Amino acid sequence: MAYTSLKSAPKAFDQHKRLIVVQVAAVVAIVLLFFSKPFLSEGSSGHELVETAGFGFVLVCFLGRLWSSLYVGGKKNDELIVSGPFSMTRNPLYFFSTIGAVGIGLMFGSALAAAILGLASFLVFRFTANREAEFLFGKFGAVYTAYAGRTPRFWPNPMLYRDQDQLVFSTSALKSTFRDGLYFLALFPLIETVEYFRAAGVLPTLFTVY
C-alpha cells in the first residue's frame, strides 16, 4: 500500500553528505582492521563460528535491502510506502544496513568491531531517519503521523506485517541496490585474503581487536 501526496511538499532531505560520511568511515574502519588481528585465533573453531555468523548477518542485509527496494525503489519521497517491510519498520533499509555493518565486524572475528560498526551505523541512520521523518511529515501530514504512530522507527515488529496484492517496482533501483549489496558480500573473500597474507607474514599486525 502507498499514499501519494496531493499538496506541495517541502524539499526532500539531501542524503549526499550522509553517504559520504558513511563511505569514508567504512573505508577507514576496514583499513584499520586489515592491520590488526582478532583476539580469537584465525582458524580456531570459535573464530570460524563468529565469522560464519557474520556472513549470515551480511547475507540478511543483502536480501533485506533487495526486499525493501522492491517496495520503495524509484518512489522514495514521492509516495508514502506502508506495506511489506515498511509495515514493520519505517526504515527497513537502514535496519538491514546496520545488520550488515555488524556482520562485517563479525566476519573479521571481532565482537568489538561488530559493536562499534553497528553502533556507528545506527547513530548515522538514526539522524538521517529523523531528518527524513520531518520531510515526510511536511509532505504527507496526518497520513504520515498515523503511520508513524503505529510503526516502529527502526526495530521491526513482525506482528504488524501486512502486504498488498500487487506490486510495481523499479528495475533500475533494484539493480542499484543489488550492486550496493555486492560490496557487502565481496568483503568476505577480501577478509579471507587478508587473513592469508597476515598468516604468511606479508601484512604487519599493529594491534589486537577483541
Side-chain angles (χ1 to χ4, degrees):
M1 185 181 297
Y3 295 95
T4 304
S5 175
L6 299 178
K7 64 179 181 178
S8 177
K11 184 178 179 181
F13 174 55
D14 183 5
Q15 301 189 52
H16 183 63
K17 292 182 179 179
R18 187 267 301 172
L19 290 174
I20 292 177
V21 171
V22 172
Q23 291 168 354
V24 171
V27 170
V28 171
I30 292 171
V31 169
L32 288 175
L33 290 178
F34 283 171
F35 294 98
S36 63
K37 69 175 183 178
F39 175 72
L40 293 173
S41 301
E42 293 167 354
S44 66
S45 58
H47 177 84
E48 294 300 317
L49 180 62
V50 172
E51 191 177 63
T52 301
F55 181 75
F57 273 55
V58 169
L59 188 59
V60 168
C61 164
F62 177 70
L63 296 176
R65 285 179 56 82
L66 284 178
W67 181 36
S68 301
S69 292
L70 285 175
Y71 288 80
V72 75
K75 295 176 283 189
K76 191 170 187 177
N77 298 326
D78 295 323
E79 298 180 20
L80 180 61
I81 311 301
V82 299
S83 58
F86 291 86
S87 65
M88 300 185 295
T89 169
R90 283 177 272 161
N91 298 282
L93 283 165
Y94 296 159
F95 171 75
F96 287 118
S97 295
T98 301
I99 292 295
V102 173
I104 291 173
L106 292 177
M107 281 198 301
F108 181 74
S110 169
L112 179 60
I116 292 175
L117 290 175
L119 179 60
S121 297
F122 173 77
L123 292 176
V124 170
F125 290 135
R126 181 184 176 89
F127 169 77
T128 306
N130 287 340
R131 296 292 301 276
E132 288 182 346
E134 294 175 2
F135 162 75
L136 293 172
F137 174 73
K139 183 170 185 176
F140 297 102
V143 175
Y144 178 76
T145 299
Y147 168 64
R150 66 175 183 266
T151 311
R153 175 170 51 184
F154 190 79
W155 302 107
N157 182 356
M159 300 298 294
L160 299 175
Y161 182 79
R162 60 177 177 170
D163 213 336
Q164 57 195 68
D165 295 332
Q166 295 181 333
L167 179 66
V168 178
F169 63 91
S170 167
T171 55
S172 60
L174 189 63
K175 289 177 182 177
S176 178
T177 303
F178 181 82
R179 288 194 301 267
D180 292 342
L182 290 179
Y183 289 110
F184 282 94
L185 295 177
L187 286 173
F188 186 72
L190 181 59
I191 290 174
E192 290 294 309
T193 302
V194 169
E195 289 180 357
Y196 172 80
F197 284 122
R198 186 187 297 115
V202 176
L203 290 176
T205 300
L206 303 181
F207 53 90
T208 299
V209 180
Y210 291 85

Tab-separated table of all heavy atoms in Angstrom, residues 11-33:
chain	number	residue	atom	x	y	z
A	11	LYS	N	11.248	20.533	0.393
A	11	LYS	CA	12.389	19.945	-0.309
A	11	LYS	C	12.831	18.670	0.394
A	11	LYS	O	12.954	18.632	1.614
A	11	LYS	CB	13.547	20.947	-0.357
A	11	LYS	CG	14.737	20.443	-1.166
A	11	LYS	CD	15.818	21.508	-1.213
A	11	LYS	CE	17.022	21.002	-1.996
A	11	LYS	NZ	18.117	22.008	-2.037
A	12	ALA	N	13.083	17.632	-0.380
A	12	ALA	CA	13.494	16.348	0.184
A	12	ALA	C	14.855	16.467	0.853
A	12	ALA	O	15.707	17.255	0.439
A	12	ALA	CB	13.538	15.281	-0.912
A	13	PHE	N	15.054	15.648	1.880
A	13	PHE	CA	16.313	15.634	2.611
A	13	PHE	C	17.428	15.104	1.715
A	13	PHE	O	17.330	14.035	1.137
A	13	PHE	CB	16.179	14.763	3.856
A	13	PHE	CG	17.471	14.566	4.594
A	13	PHE	CD1	18.224	15.640	5.015
A	13	PHE	CD2	17.934	13.282	4.862
A	13	PHE	CE1	19.407	15.452	5.708
A	13	PHE	CE2	19.124	13.084	5.545
A	13	PHE	CZ	19.848	14.173	5.971
A	14	ASP	N	18.504	15.883	1.566
A	14	ASP	CA	19.645	15.506	0.738
A	14	ASP	C	20.541	14.566	1.529
A	14	ASP	O	21.139	14.951	2.537
A	14	ASP	CB	20.417	16.764	0.324
A	14	ASP	CG	21.582	16.442	-0.605
A	14	ASP	OD1	21.725	15.257	-0.991
A	14	ASP	OD2	22.345	17.373	-0.927
A	15	GLN	N	20.669	13.316	1.050
A	15	GLN	CA	21.440	12.312	1.754
A	15	GLN	C	22.892	12.241	1.293
A	15	GLN	O	23.650	11.398	1.752
A	15	GLN	CB	20.804	10.927	1.563
A	15	GLN	CG	19.381	10.841	2.043
A	15	GLN	CD	18.882	9.424	2.029
A	15	GLN	OE1	19.511	8.519	2.570
A	15	GLN	NE2	17.743	9.207	1.413
A	16	HIS	N	23.295	13.134	0.375
A	16	HIS	CA	24.627	13.030	-0.220
A	16	HIS	C	25.732	13.097	0.838
A	16	HIS	O	26.665	12.290	0.839
A	16	HIS	CB	24.814	14.143	-1.249
A	16	HIS	CG	26.125	14.086	-1.966
A	16	HIS	ND1	26.482	13.026	-2.780
A	16	HIS	CD2	27.179	14.953	-1.974
A	16	HIS	CE1	27.699	13.246	-3.267
A	16	HIS	NE2	28.131	14.400	-2.794
A	17	LYS	N	25.626	14.070	1.758
A	17	LYS	CA	26.655	14.216	2.782
A	17	LYS	C	26.686	13.002	3.708
A	17	LYS	O	27.750	12.539	4.116
A	17	LYS	CB	26.412	15.491	3.594
A	17	LYS	CG	26.620	16.767	2.801
A	17	LYS	CD	26.412	17.996	3.671
A	17	LYS	CE	26.638	19.267	2.872
A	17	LYS	NZ	26.426	20.490	3.704
A	18	ARG	N	25.492	12.480	4.029
A	18	ARG	CA	25.437	11.289	4.888
A	18	ARG	C	26.115	10.114	4.224
A	18	ARG	O	26.854	9.367	4.864
A	18	ARG	CB	23.971	10.973	5.199
A	18	ARG	CG	23.752	9.866	6.223
A	18	ARG	CD	23.590	8.510	5.608
A	18	ARG	NE	22.475	8.453	4.699
A	18	ARG	CZ	22.208	7.405	3.918
A	18	ARG	NH1	22.995	6.353	3.924
A	18	ARG	NH2	21.182	7.422	3.080
A	19	LEU	N	25.902	9.964	2.923
A	19	LEU	CA	26.519	8.859	2.201
A	19	LEU	C	28.037	8.987	2.183
A	19	LEU	O	28.756	7.991	2.319
A	19	LEU	CB	25.974	8.804	0.769
A	19	LEU	CG	24.513	8.375	0.629
A	19	LEU	CD1	24.052	8.511	-0.812
A	19	LEU	CD2	24.332	6.936	1.102
A	20	ILE	N	28.541	10.207	2.028
A	20	ILE	CA	29.986	10.424	2.024
A	20	ILE	C	30.576	10.047	3.380
A	20	ILE	O	31.611	9.371	3.469
A	20	ILE	CB	30.318	11.891	1.683
A	20	ILE	CG1	29.950	12.182	0.227
A	20	ILE	CG2	31.798	12.178	1.927
A	20	ILE	CD1	30.176	13.620	-0.185
A	21	VAL	N	29.922	10.477	4.465
A	21	VAL	CA	30.401	10.165	5.810
A	21	VAL	C	30.446	8.655	6.041
A	21	VAL	O	31.427	8.109	6.547
A	21	VAL	CB	29.512	10.839	6.879
A	21	VAL	CG1	29.880	10.345	8.273
A	21	VAL	CG2	29.647	12.346	6.801
A	22	VAL	N	29.373	7.956	5.648
A	22	VAL	CA	29.313	6.505	5.831
A	22	VAL	C	30.398	5.806	5.025
A	22	VAL	O	31.078	4.904	5.523
A	22	VAL	CB	27.921	5.977	5.426
A	22	VAL	CG1	27.913	4.449	5.421
A	22	VAL	CG2	26.862	6.501	6.390
A	23	GLN	N	30.586	6.219	3.780
A	23	GLN	CA	31.576	5.586	2.928
A	23	GLN	C	32.993	5.807	3.434
A	23	GLN	O	33.801	4.872	3.466
A	23	GLN	CB	31.432	6.109	1.493
A	23	GLN	CG	30.158	5.648	0.808
A	23	GLN	CD	29.881	6.384	-0.482
A	23	GLN	OE1	30.584	7.334	-0.838
A	23	GLN	NE2	28.844	5.966	-1.190
A	24	VAL	N	33.296	7.036	3.842
A	24	VAL	CA	34.633	7.320	4.361
A	24	VAL	C	34.896	6.550	5.647
A	24	VAL	O	35.971	5.962	5.835
A	24	VAL	CB	34.811	8.839	4.606
A	24	VAL	CG1	36.114	9.113	5.360
A	24	VAL	CG2	34.806	9.588	3.279
A	25	ALA	N	33.913	6.541	6.549
A	25	ALA	CA	34.061	5.815	7.812
A	25	ALA	C	34.245	4.323	7.570
A	25	ALA	O	35.052	3.665	8.233
A	25	ALA	CB	32.848	6.055	8.707
A	26	ALA	N	33.513	3.776	6.594
A	26	ALA	CA	33.629	2.351	6.287
A	26	ALA	C	35.019	2.016	5.766
A	26	ALA	O	35.622	1.013	6.171
A	26	ALA	CB	32.569	1.953	5.261
A	27	VAL	N	35.545	2.855	4.886
A	27	VAL	CA	36.887	2.612	4.335
A	27	VAL	C	37.944	2.675	5.438
A	27	VAL	O	38.829	1.817	5.513
A	27	VAL	CB	37.206	3.640	3.228
A	27	VAL	CG1	38.675	3.546	2.821
A	27	VAL	CG2	36.320	3.408	2.019
A	28	VAL	N	37.850	3.690	6.306
A	28	VAL	CA	38.807	3.829	7.402
A	28	VAL	C	38.752	2.620	8.333
A	28	VAL	O	39.788	2.072	8.730
A	28	VAL	CB	38.544	5.125	8.199
A	28	VAL	CG1	39.399	5.162	9.465
A	28	VAL	CG2	38.834	6.346	7.337
A	29	ALA	N	37.535	2.201	8.682
A	29	ALA	CA	37.375	1.052	9.589
A	29	ALA	C	37.958	-0.210	8.985
A	29	ALA	O	38.669	-0.975	9.659
A	29	ALA	CB	35.893	0.853	9.907
A	30	ILE	N	37.690	-0.451	7.705
A	30	ILE	CA	38.182	-1.667	7.054
A	30	ILE	C	39.696	-1.658	6.949
A	30	ILE	O	40.357	-2.669	7.185
A	30	ILE	CB	37.525	-1.821	5.662
A	30	ILE	CG1	36.030	-2.117	5.825
A	30	ILE	CG2	38.192	-2.932	4.863
A	30	ILE	CD1	35.254	-2.072	4.528
A	31	VAL	N	40.274	-0.495	6.623
A	31	VAL	CA	41.740	-0.396	6.537
A	31	VAL	C	42.376	-0.693	7.893
A	31	VAL	O	43.383	-1.406	7.985
A	31	VAL	CB	42.163	1.006	6.032
A	31	VAL	CG1	43.662	1.202	6.202
A	31	VAL	CG2	41.781	1.174	4.565
A	32	LEU	N	41.791	-0.148	8.964
A	32	LEU	CA	42.317	-0.405	10.309
A	32	LEU	C	42.243	-1.896	10.645
A	32	LEU	O	43.175	-2.454	11.241
A	32	LEU	CB	41.550	0.410	11.345
A	32	LEU	CG	41.811	1.922	11.350
A	32	LEU	CD1	40.900	2.610	12.352
A	32	LEU	CD2	43.279	2.213	11.689
A	33	LEU	N	41.151	-2.548	10.258
A	33	LEU	CA	41.009	-3.973	10.535
A	33	LEU	C	42.041	-4.797	9.774
A	33	LEU	O	42.483	-5.845	10.256
A	33	LEU	CB	39.593	-4.435	10.171
A	33	LEU	CG	38.465	-3.934	11.072
A	33	LEU	CD1	37.120	-4.428	10.555
A	33	LEU	CD2	38.662	-4.385	12.515
